[in-house]
Amino acid sequence: MSDRDPVAELGPFSDSDADATPWPTALRELHQARLFWLSTVRPDGRPHVTPLLAVWTGGALYFATGDQERKARNLHGNHHCVMTTGTNVLDGLDLTIEGRAELVRDPTERSTTADAYEGKYGDLLTSPDGTWYGLGDTIRSGKVQLYRIDPEVGFAFGKGKAYSQTRYRFQRWPSEQR
C-alpha cells in the first residue's frame, strides 16, 4: 500500500469548532513517534499490551519481536491488532492504527524496513553503546520476526484548544495487494 491519503472523517465526539486531522499531519506523527504500544489478544481472549519500537514505511507499520514473545504467540492465533502512539498529556495528537499483522519473509522488504529502523532510531541501533545495537542486522538476517500491519482503519485524537476525533478509512487497491 502506498502513502495514499485515506478517507478522513470527523467523529461525532469532536468539539463543534474542531476540524478533522489531515492525514499528512497524522502521517508525520507516525514517522516521528519514538514509542508505540501494540495491543493483541491472548488465546483465552484477554488483551495484551506492550511498548515497542516501530516504523511507518511503504504505507504500513512494522515492528520486530522474538518468536517466543507473548505478542508473537498471540499473533500466531489472531492476526488482528492495534498499534497506538501519542502523548501522555492533554495536548497534542494520539493515533491508533488497526489492522492485521502479517509476518514478513521477503528479504528485500526486511532490508528496506531495517534501513528505516536505523534511519529513525540512529545510534540506538547502530552504535555499539546503543540500547538495541544490531537490531537492523537481526531484522535483515531473519533472526527476529518482522511483522507488517497493513492499516484497515485509524483514528487521530486531537487534544488541546479543540478536541477532535478523526477516523481514517484505508482503501486497498487491487494493484497494491501484497
Side-chain angles (χ1 to χ4, degrees), residues 98-144:
E98 300 177 14
R100 290 177 48 91
E102 300 294 336
L103 199 54
V104 176
R105 291 188 169 88
D106 177 67
T108 301
E109 188 175 358
R110 291 181 73 86
S111 181
T112 300
T113 304
D115 292 346
Y117 263 95
E118 291 172 344
K120 180 176 183 175
Y121 293 101
D123 286 349
L124 292 173
L125 277 63
T126 60
S127 169
D129 295 331
T131 304
W132 295 281
Y133 176 65
L135 179 60
D137 290 335
T138 304
I139 290 171
R140 285 182 194 90
S141 70
K143 293 180 182 173
V144 68

Side-chain angles (χ1 to χ4, degrees), residues 49-155:
V49 180
T50 190
L52 46 70
L53 306 180
V55 295
W56 177 277
T57 186
L61 272 169
Y62 290 83
F63 67 93
T65 186
D67 65 348
Q68 292 303 308
E69 291 191 38
R70 169 51 52 199
K71 58 189 160 287
R73 295 191 333 250
N74 291 349
L75 291 169
H76 179 73
N78 181 344
H79 292 269
H80 296 280
C81 63
V82 178
M83 187 79 84
T84 306
T85 192
T87 67
N88 64 349
V89 295
L90 296 177
D91 191 28
L93 189 66
D94 295 333
L95 297 164
T96 65
I97 299 291
E98 300 177 14
R100 290 177 48 91
E102 300 294 336
L103 199 54
V104 176
R105 291 188 169 88
D106 177 67
T108 301
E109 188 175 358
R110 291 181 73 86
S111 181
T112 300
T113 304
D115 292 346
Y117 263 95
E118 291 172 344
K120 180 176 183 175
Y121 293 101
D123 286 349
L124 292 173
L125 277 63
T126 60
S127 169
D129 295 331
T131 304
W132 295 281
Y133 176 65
L135 179 60
D137 290 335
T138 304
I139 290 171
R140 285 182 194 90
S141 70
K143 293 180 182 173
V144 68
Q145 289 188 333
L146 179 67
Y147 284 92
R148 177 188 62 249
I149 301 173
D150 291 312
E152 295 171 0
V153 66
F155 293 92

